[in-house]
Amino acid sequence: MPEADKEGERYSADVPQQSPGFFLKGSHQLDWGMKNRLASTFNPETGRTVMLAVDHGYFQGPTTGLERIDLSILPLLPSCDALFCTRGILRSVVPASSQKPMVLRASGGPSILREELSDEQIAMDMDDAVRLNASGVGIQVFIGGEHETRSVHNMTKLVDAGLRVGIPVMGITAVGKTMVRDAKYFRLACRIIAELGAQYVKTYYVEEGFETVTASCPVPVVMAGGKKLPELEALTMAYNAVQQGAAGVDMGRNIFQSDAPKAMIAAVGAVVHQNMKPNEAFDLYRSLRTNK
Ligand code: R5P
């Protein structure tokens, strides 16, 4: 793989990519419907999103915090920009009267009981995403995984189907349990996903060189939260990610497993949309938590 001699300089992370006529990076030449769906998922004023990820049940079942989505997650809907969920939860639990944009999990297969998770297939027709008025669909891509080629082709098939109907695809970098999670890996994975047509990419934050991951990805990157951290650490991670070029977050456990999810999602929103500093956002979290 070709590597830059002076890595930081070659990525020009401080020079934004031009997107004439539309607020989202790499999206200015898409069709109207696709742009309109992106503009419902990402806030046009800030160019960022707070997407609440609650799709975990598609392979983990009723994980902690998602045992009763009707009770734990529906009260958070007003505080997010979009919800990332499965079509099963959408149809069974989320009121159809909701105006919130819905991004739907479109891949599945192996459960948490299996060692190898990359053996996924497309798990939803694009017709159903249209029927459900989805604002987007999301799919795992296992770069370097045992079933890498299949997962890449799952995504490209979904991208082709999405282009036919104007539904954007979020490609998700799924990292194998034994793989190194560093900027080099995420640059590779995010870039492959974007080159093969995803309209935006979800990936994990890394302490070193995250700005090279966002700079070398020609479409928006949203940060996945990962395992539950203390609230100040999670807010710091979200802050660093958006300051280093992420177009927001698609966070789950760090919100719904918090002691005070409503307070936490409000604090994440302040970090993402107002560039609030982590300590200030943590104060906000604490003050809202005591009022919960
Ligand atoms: C992966 O794509 C998962 O299904 C979640 O959507 C993702 O990991 C984000 O959730 P969390 O912030 O809990 O990692």
Side-chain angles (χ1 to χ4, degrees):
M1 189 192 327
E3 276 301 318
D5 299 325
K6 293 185 179 173
E7 199 168 86
E9 287 175 26
R10 297 262 298 253
Y11 289 97
S12 301
D14 55 334
V15 184
Q17 182 181 313
Q18 296 301 302
S19 288
F22 194 64
F23 69 99
L24 274 182
K25 176 179 173 178
S27 314
H28 54 293
Q29 302 187 103
L30 297 173
D31 203 355
W32 196 95
M34 183 90 69
K35 280 182 179 160
N36 185 250
R37 288 187 175 90
L38 288 169
S40 71
T41 307
F42 294 83
N43 180 332
E45 281 173 25
T46 63
R48 295 177 183 161
T49 186
V50 175
M51 203 186 300
L52 177 58
V54 297
D55 61 311
H56 306 58
Y58 92 97
F59 78 113
Q60 291 185 331
T63 195
T64 307
L66 297 182
E67 298 87 346
R68 288 290 302 270
I69 288 182
D70 55 333
L71 302 180
S72 61
I73 299 303
L74 294 188
L76 304 179
L77 270 188
S79 311
C80 66
D81 295 300
L83 189 72
F84 183 43
C85 66
T86 60
R87 63 175 167 180
I89 288 297
L90 190 72
R91 280 203 168 93
S92 58
V93 175
V94 181
S97 54
S98 171
Q99 299 293 301
K100 204 52 74 173
M102 298 292 158
V103 179
L104 300 180
R105 155 69 56 185
S107 64
S111 77
I112 193 73
L113 302 179
R114 304 300 291 262
E115 196 51 38
E116 179 54 52
L117 294 177
S118 70
D119 189 18
E120 286 197 345
Q121 306 272 1
I122 292 177
M124 188 181 63
D125 273 355
M126 196 55 80
D127 281 358
D128 206 28
V130 172
R131 196 175 295 118
L132 289 166
N133 197 27
S135 293
V137 294
I139 183 164
Q140 305 288 100
V141 183
F142 294 84
I143 299 300
E146 188 178 330
H147 300 279
E148 176 185 68
T149 300
R150 167 135 46 85
S151 80
V152 165
H153 284 176
N154 287 343
M155 189 198 79
T156 55
K157 283 181 201 147
L158 207 62
V159 168
D160 285 330
L163 286 169
R164 281 195 282 275
V165 296
I167 293 191
V169 172
M170 172 173 74
I172 303 165
T173 61
V175 196
K177 287 176 188 162
T178 55
M179 285 182 204
V180 181
R181 292 177 176 227
D182 61 8
K184 185 175 177 183
Y185 175 78
F186 288 121
R187 283 197 299 264
L188 175 76
C190 291
R191 183 63 173 261
I192 290 173
I193 287 171
E195 296 254 1
L196 291 174
Q199 282 75 28
Y200 55 107
V201 180
K202 164 160 127 174
T203 197
Y204 292 93
Y205 182 72
V206 286
E207 293 288 339
E208 290 292 320
F210 186 73
E211 74 284 358
T212 67
V213 177
T214 57
S216 59
C217 182
V219 298
V221 168
V222 293
M223 184 204 78
K227 67 177 183 349
K228 174 75 176 70
L229 300 168
E231 277 73 7
L232 178 57
E233 280 178 42
L235 292 167
T236 303
M237 181 172 73
Y239 179 82
N240 290 339
V242 295
Q243 297 308 316
Q244 292 166 28
V249 300
D250 184 18
M251 274 171 110
R253 287 163 286 178
N254 277 292
I255 293 172
F256 62 71
Q257 291 179 351
S258 167
D259 288 342
K262 255 190 185 167
M264 186 58 181
I265 199 168
V268 171
V271 164
V272 169
H273 290 306
Q274 298 164 35
N275 293 309
M276 188 179 276
K277 294 265 169 54
N279 280 329
E280 214 182 317
F282 185 56
D283 287 346
L284 175 66
Y285 161 77
R286 283 198 298 199
S287 67
L288 294 172
R289 184 183 58 183
T290 51
N291 298 331
K292 76 177 171 178

